[in-house]
Structures are given as C-alpha cells and as structure tokens.
Amino acid sequence: MILDLDIGNTLSKWRLKDRQTSSIRARGAMWTRDEWRSGSDIPDLDIVEAIRISNVARPDVLEDTVRLLSRRVDTIHIAHSTAEALGIRNGYDAPERLGVDRWLGVLSGYQLTGGCCTVDCGSAITMDAVLPGGQHIGGYIIPGLRLMKESLKLGTRKVAIDPEQDVLHILSPGTNTVDAVNHGVYMAATSAINRLYMELCDSHGVSLPLLLTGGDAELVSRGLRVPHARWSDMVYAGLESLFPLTAAEAQGQLAGMPEIVAPADLTEMRRALAFTQLL
C-alpha cells in the first residue's frame, strides 16, 4: 500500500492507495499534532510500503512526522516547491516559498489540461494559474469562508452556510445577522473568484480551464458563474505526478481525474468585464 499524506496546520488528511491496482482503499484525517499510532483515525502502517507527503505546517511538524513514520516505513517521498518540475516553471520570485499544496495543484492541473487556473477552497482560498506551455504566473490568496466569518467576531463561527440551501437564497440579502454574515461572506468569496479568473484570462489572452479543490469546493462551486470542474484529489494527484509509484500513475492516470470542462469563451468574459467597469 501507498500512504499519501497531506499535512495542514490543523488537520492532516491521508489516504491508502493499492500499489497494484491504483485503487483507493481508505481515507481519513487526524489532528496534525497527534502521533502516528495505528487506530481508528490512522491507517495501519504495517501494510504501507511507501509514503508521499505534502506539508504546509511548520518544518518541525514535518520533521517529527517523518521521524515517527521512518521507524516503520523505509520509503518516504516529500514534495517541495521548486523552480521547475514536470514542464512547469514556477512563477514565484522565490520558488521555494510557494505553498507546496498550491504547487502540487498546479502540477496535477497542468497534467490534466495543459494550462489551467486552480482554486483551493480551504481555510484560505488560493488561486494559481499556469499558461499553456508551462509558465506558472503566480496567483492570489484570499480568506476562506470560515476565516472571513471569524474575522467579523460576531459569534457566527459555529453557524455554517447550509450546503443544501438554494444558491439564490445564499446570494440574497440576509434578514438576520447570521444570514447577513453568511451571505456576505459567500458573495465575497465567489465574486472574487469569478472576477479574478476572468481578469487572469483577459490579461493573458487565453481561456483557461478552471479546477476547484478543497473542503469548501462543493459549496463555492455553486456560486461560480464560469464553467469549472471539481477535483477533490488534486493535491494527492500532484504527489502522484511527482512520485509515480504505480503503473497507472506512470502512464499519467491520476486519481479522481475529472472530465475536462470547456472554459468560458474569452470574448464573453471580456464583455462581462467591460460591463462591470461601467458600474
């Protein structure tokens, strides 16, 4: 088995992948500071042959985790943001400072589409773009839905936006404080993604496929006005691209690859941008 590990500042997500069939056998999550001892929330390390790690927590968290895991597993691959990989040139001034989860998303997105805009809807919402030909041009970071609500300090942090709520209701004015906060936060996030995506495409003269991942991707997806696809395993797929360990991965078959959605027409996006500039 292969253990893929996505370490965040608060939560670490994992999945077990069968090395022979490339099928996903189990998934789970644990608090980042918990030690790796087999239990209900942690996979059995006795069946793991190799580990692939993405880490955005502090370096000491990664060091502690690797030290614990290396006692049980010999092969551990750790992803890092680099100046170039898999045909993509990192657009950051200091490439190593690009969050590795963003880098992995760009790598997997590019393998799928050959140029794309990736959006990770987590605690922060990150956007990155890579042009056809492999030039990563950087991106944006804005507060995520929960972070925006917490910043208002209105006691609404435990009141979540209902994922079953009709999107038109979410975008309507709130008639109480909780709804006003929830609807305002949702509008801020989705409007920013819509606008920034169109600005990116307009400024570079290319209509890029848009890919969403992260815990709030399903909810955010409903408020977007441009064609897009959701790819829950996009960061894991970046690990697969960097460190292929199965026959399917070596052939470019990444886990959970979505159907490619044709992007919005560039002319239509430019008309929409021109209209907003009149307001």
Side-chain angles (χ1 to χ4, degrees):
M1 288 289 176
I2 302 164
L3 172 63
D4 290 323
L5 180 57
D6 182 5
I7 303 175
N9 286 303
T10 304
L11 198 66
S12 294
K13 294 175 289 184
W14 60 266
R15 70 175 192 181
L16 280 178
K17 187 173 189 181
D18 191 302
R19 197 163 190 170
Q20 300 303 316
T21 66
S22 266
S23 59
I24 306 303
R25 293 301 184 88
R27 295 178 185 268
M30 57 178 285
W31 299 115
T32 294
R33 274 300 184 181
D34 286 352
E35 288 195 359
W36 282 80
R37 297 192 181 95
S38 297
S40 58
D41 297 325
I42 299 174
D44 182 3
L45 293 177
D46 289 337
I47 63 174
V48 173
E49 305 168 58
I51 299 172
R52 299 179 289 204
I53 299 177
S54 165
N55 173 67
V56 296
R58 297 191 313 274
D60 64 290
V61 173
L62 176 62
E63 292 169 6
D64 290 345
T65 301
V66 170
R67 184 170 59 252
L68 286 167
L69 294 177
S70 61
R71 297 172 185 169
R72 307 282 295 279
V73 181
D74 292 332
T75 304
I76 299 179
H77 300 284
I78 303 170
H80 299 283
S81 295
T82 56
E84 188 170 353
L86 303 178
I88 299 177
R89 298 174 299 283
N90 192 322
Y92 254 37
D93 298 332
E96 70 279 2
R97 295 187 67 84
L98 175 67
V100 71
D101 53 343
R102 294 169 60 192
W103 183 233
L104 291 171
V106 165
L107 293 178
S108 56
Y110 188 71
Q111 308 314 304
L112 177 67
T113 65
C116 60
C117 179
T118 60
V119 180
D120 193 332
C121 306
S123 300
I125 295 174
T126 63
M127 296 183 67
D128 283 274
V130 58
L131 301 177
Q135 181 60 57
H136 170 247
I137 57 175
Y140 302 93
I141 302 176
I142 61 177
L145 299 178
R146 285 179 288 274
L147 190 58
M148 278 195 272
K149 287 200 296 182
E150 290 174 7
S151 71
L152 293 173
K153 300 186 185 300
L154 293 175
T156 56
R157 67 182 65 192
K158 294 183 179 179
V159 182
I161 302 170
D162 183 357
E164 301 302 321
Q165 228 175 4
D166 180 74
V167 71
L168 293 178
H169 176 67
I170 297 175
L171 296 176
S172 66
T175 54
N176 56 69
T177 298
V178 169
D179 280 352
V181 169
N182 279 334
H183 296 190
V185 161
Y186 188 73
M187 175 67 86
T190 55
S191 297
I193 295 170
N194 282 319
R195 179 61 180 263
L196 292 173
Y197 167 74
M198 290 192 290
E199 293 279 6
L200 279 170
C201 291
D202 175 44
S203 62
H204 292 277
V206 60
S207 189
L208 297 170
L210 180 60
L211 301 170
L212 264 65
T213 194
D216 286 329
E218 182 177 358
L219 181 59
V220 169
S221 169
R222 295 164 53 223
L224 298 187
R225 294 294 182 259
V226 289
H228 59 278
R230 297 203 312 270
W231 191 358
S232 60
D233 274 8
M234 192 160 66
V235 172
Y236 287 139
L239 287 172
E240 294 174 343
S241 298
L242 272 182
F243 311 112
L245 296 176
T246 72
E249 292 171 0
Q251 295 170 4
Q253 298 174 26
L254 307 178
M257 295 172 73
E259 292 290 330
I260 299 176
V261 176
D265 180 75
L266 185 59
T267 301
E268 292 299 319
M269 285 193 281
R270 283 173 168 165
R271 286 176 182 163
L273 287 171
F275 175 75
T276 61
Q277 290 165 3
L278 294 174
L279 300 177

